[in-house]
Amino acid sequence: MGTIVTLVTDFGNRSPYSAALKGVILGVNPGANVVDLTHEIPPQDLRHAAYYLLQALPYYPAGTVHVVVVDPGVGSARAILLIELKGRHLVVPDNGCWSWLDHFHGPATTVRRLTEERYWRNQVSSTFHGRDIFAPVAGWLSRGVAAECFGPPTQEWVRLPLPACEIGASEVVGEVMFIDDFGNVITSIPESAVPARATVQHGKESVTRRLEAYADGQAGELGYLISSSGFLEITAAYGNAARRLSARVGDTVHVLAE
Amino acid sequence: MGTIVTLVTDFGNRSPYSAALKGVILGVNPGANVVDLTHEIPPQDLRHAAYYLLQALPYYPAGTVHVVVVDPGVGSARAILLIELKGRHLVVPDNGCWSWLDHFHGPATTVRRLTEERYWRNQVSSTFHGRDIFAPVAGWLSRGVAAECFGPPTQEWVRLPLPACEIGASEVVGEVMFIDDFGNVITSIPESAVPARATVQHGKESVTRRLEAYADGQAGELGYLISSSGFLEITAAYGNAARRLSARVGDTVHVLAE
Amino acid sequence: MGTIVTLVTDFGNRSPYSAALKGVILGVNPGANVVDLTHEIPPQDLRHAAYYLLQALPYYPAGTVHVVVVDPGVGSARAILLIELKGRHLVVPDNGCWSWLDHFHGPATTVRRLTEERYWRNQVSSTFHGRDIFAPVAGWLSRGVAAECFGPPTQEWVRLPLPACEIGASEVVGEVMFIDDFGNVITSIPESAVPARATVQHGKESVTRRLEAYADGQAGELGYLISSSGFLEITAAYGNAARRLSARVGDTVHVLAE
């Protein structure tokens, strides 16, 4: 198998954009092992992308090329970055979508700006850099072209604000960082800040039952646990906690020791 | 190409779980040929998963490793099974999701319980065995580690009730087994139990037109045919039969000879 | 890596059909590099499929085998075609879904009708030719069986009407050709027919702001630009233009020089 090239986009699966991207990569390197991670990042949702990358990319082996196209600023002056981070390469728009990964699993070894147009498609559309710049660069990277060929290093790039989390003496105040497809509500509060016995508050709801696993709760009962990502998570056994709580990303969550 | 490793989960595509799973497999075996079947099994819907596996897995070649993570009991005492069935390997939670496949296309040659933790990730989250146990085991299997290395055989496992179907002298009573993305209503009644001329009843609706193909009906007309899976199916030409009938999985279906 | 075999279907991802298709291909050729493009073409929507193929397939390298199963006529007398077009092979139902590709990026070198049943599965269901005919033929093609083995050339096939576009002296009248997952409204009006300064009319709305990139507009502002596919496109910066306009495929769009 060839070099692994993964894709994360917000293109959706009814539109031809992800297919065009893959075609260009395979046109440059028919031996690439192209792996779709998702094309269903909610449109232009940088925080969603940031959490997704943080939780998915660290599991890939060194040498992987990761392409991320969640790019509301396409065609503007925003840069495109080629990042080396723990032995992998990332090709991303300079909008901060990768900065949580950098903070929690980095730091990056080198960050470059793509400038060498000879690795781009001949014609570059101002609305589809994914196809015309990101994809061919990923193809050439996967064929072994060295990172320094694509552009010069830079020390400046956009950072997305980190998820809020204030750890006080008697209280921790965090926020909803992500809601998964099961309706689990993942907060910004790390395991180390969660007391052994705690009350977790979201809006008017107080959750006091600590679970070890989803199946430990009564059906529909709200509980909290430490998620597989190491953060405090509110769940409803065999149910949808986010719907129960009307929770949204960014909502405040309080944790009080009992 | 390396060993084929297929994935069936209920993770959805907006969450990072399926990507983490694939990263771990590729971390263990960068040469694996990872093939997504679906990540859109409705959350925790074991009957949906059972039908899906029954209709999809028999078409894969011997040697394939199939990973199934539809696992509401994750973190509880439920076992994880490694099954040999007609030359393939399945890694599944012990909740019966594979038992229709076993009944109709088996039986399994050997069923083992995963116990050998050296093939798991170092830290095992109680809420994500897919990433921490299923995925690395699939990776090692695909690299050629023998099944007996992962745990001892067992004779006990959970079976999901088979779809109901009573074949009487004048009547067959079955149930809706699956509704596909086109709205076709697939019942539990096998081809052999369907008379040449029949009346198919669902709720207050009687369907008497037998079709050879979807396109044989008038637009929107209800008809029945033998599905590609060998079961009685109710369809609406160029339309959505399930919506027309307000059909749901589990609904009773009667078949009467004309 | 083996020959690339791409898949475009309207099967959806909750149903087992796409998985069965892939299993059959991999059963014939375990070394094929099967690449899902999409399984989310809206059910039986030939125009959607036609646009999708037009925008996706030209980016794949010569030698690729493209399988398209958007096939409302399955089981009827409609033919199945094996097409050679610019060095690729397409296996498609004869319903015109590939004819825009042929018009804009062809023409096809040879068009054949599949007749040689020895390359099909032993039993052919009248409702699932994708699994029983398209998939094994694609598998054998990807293993190097020559196109002429699968059936004789034909000079007749179904063509889908081209998107309407009338270019007059003072006005261009086109139609909405596609709406993407971002809500961008892509029309049938080619770049060459768009004056430097134009008014674009859809229903009662007049759009006069020409953008170079999505990010050039004020948030939510309607503008028009030349899409990455070379056609006139109406967009709403950081918003959903289709929703704003209540636009649907087939709606009339007028362009007037200012």
Side-chain angles (χ1 to χ4, degrees), chain A residues 61-147:
Chain A
T64 300
V65 175
H66 298 288
V67 180
V68 182
V69 193
V70 180
D71 191 15
V74 59
S76 69
R78 72 91 188 79
I80 304 172
L81 304 178
L82 168 53
I83 296 152
E84 295 183 72
L85 189 151
K86 306 233 164 155
R88 305 93 190 260
H89 288 108
L90 281 78
V91 184
V92 304
D94 184 18
N95 57 24
C97 64
W98 68 288
S99 61
W100 295 4
L101 182 77
D102 187 52
H103 179 82
F104 289 104
H105 282 277
T109 315
T110 322
V111 180
R112 296 172 185 280
R113 291 173 71 110
L114 296 187
T115 56
E116 291 304 305
E117 302 187 9
R118 83 191 105 157
Y119 296 106
W120 305 359
R121 291 188 76 232
N122 282 338
Q123 289 215 319
V124 172
S125 162
S126 61
T127 62
F128 199 1
H129 289 179
R131 177 191 68 192
D132 297 339
I133 304 178
F134 292 67
V137 164
W140 290 111
L141 266 171
S142 74
R143 284 184 60 171
V145 173

Side-chain angles (χ1 to χ4, degrees), chain C residues 149-222:
Chain C
C149 298
F150 296 94
T154 179
Q155 302 303 324
E156 293 191 16
W157 56 84
V158 174
R159 283 170 182 82
L160 214 62
L162 289 170
C165 182
E166 289 178 30
I167 303 179
S170 63
E171 192 188 34
V172 182
V173 185
E175 64 174 328
V176 175
M177 183 162 58
F178 191 77
I179 294 172
D180 74 16
D181 288 75
F182 297 101
N184 294 315
V185 174
I186 297 146
T187 76
S188 59
I189 300 167
E191 179 170 12
S192 59
V194 181
R197 307 189 66 184
T199 298
V200 179
Q201 294 181 326
H202 174 278
K204 293 181 177 168
E205 196 87 39
S206 286
V207 182
T208 57
R209 177 121 152 81
R210 183 173 184 136
L211 307 173
E212 286 310 306
Y214 298 126
D216 286 348
Q218 304 285 322
E221 184 190 20
L222 288 171

Side-chain angles (χ1 to χ4, degrees), chain A residues 12-47:
Chain A
N13 287 315
R14 290 181 303 113
S15 301
Y17 306 125
S18 64
L21 203 74
K22 289 191 275 194
V24 171
I25 294 171
L26 291 165
V28 173
N29 182 7
N33 182 8
V34 177
V35 178
D36 294 297
L37 303 194
T38 188
H39 300 294
E40 297 189 24
I41 299 293
Q44 312 187 338
D45 188 336
L46 295 179
R47 284 175 61 105

Side-chain angles (χ1 to χ4, degrees), chain C residues 80-94:
Chain C
I80 304 172
L81 304 177
L82 168 54
I83 296 152
E84 295 183 72
L85 189 151
K86 306 234 162 153
R88 305 93 191 260
H89 289 108
L90 280 77
V91 184
V92 303
D94 183 19

Side-chain angles (χ1 to χ4, degrees), chain B residues 134-186:
Chain B
F134 291 67
V137 164
W140 290 111
L141 266 171
S142 75
R143 283 184 59 171
V145 173
E148 54 263 39
C149 298
F150 296 93
T154 179
Q155 302 302 324
E156 293 192 15
W157 55 84
V158 174
R159 284 170 182 83
L160 214 62
L162 289 169
C165 182
E166 289 179 30
I167 303 178
S170 63
E171 193 187 33
V172 182
V173 185
E175 64 175 327
V176 175
M177 183 163 57
F178 192 77
I179 293 172
D180 73 16
D181 289 77
F182 298 101
N184 295 314
V185 174
I186 296 146

Side-chain angles (χ1 to χ4, degrees), chain C residues 24-83:
Chain C
V24 171
I25 295 170
L26 290 165
V28 172
N29 182 7
N33 182 7
V34 177
V35 178
D36 295 297
L37 303 194
T38 188
H39 300 293
E40 296 188 25
I41 301 292
Q44 313 187 338
D45 188 336
L46 295 179
R47 284 175 63 105
H48 192 111
Y51 181 81
Y52 189 101
L53 299 179
L54 173 62
Q55 297 305 335
L57 269 46
Y59 300 100
Y60 283 79
T64 300
V65 175
H66 297 290
V67 180
V68 182
V69 193
V70 180
D71 190 15
V74 59
S76 69
R78 72 94 188 77
I80 304 172
L81 304 177
L82 168 54
I83 296 152

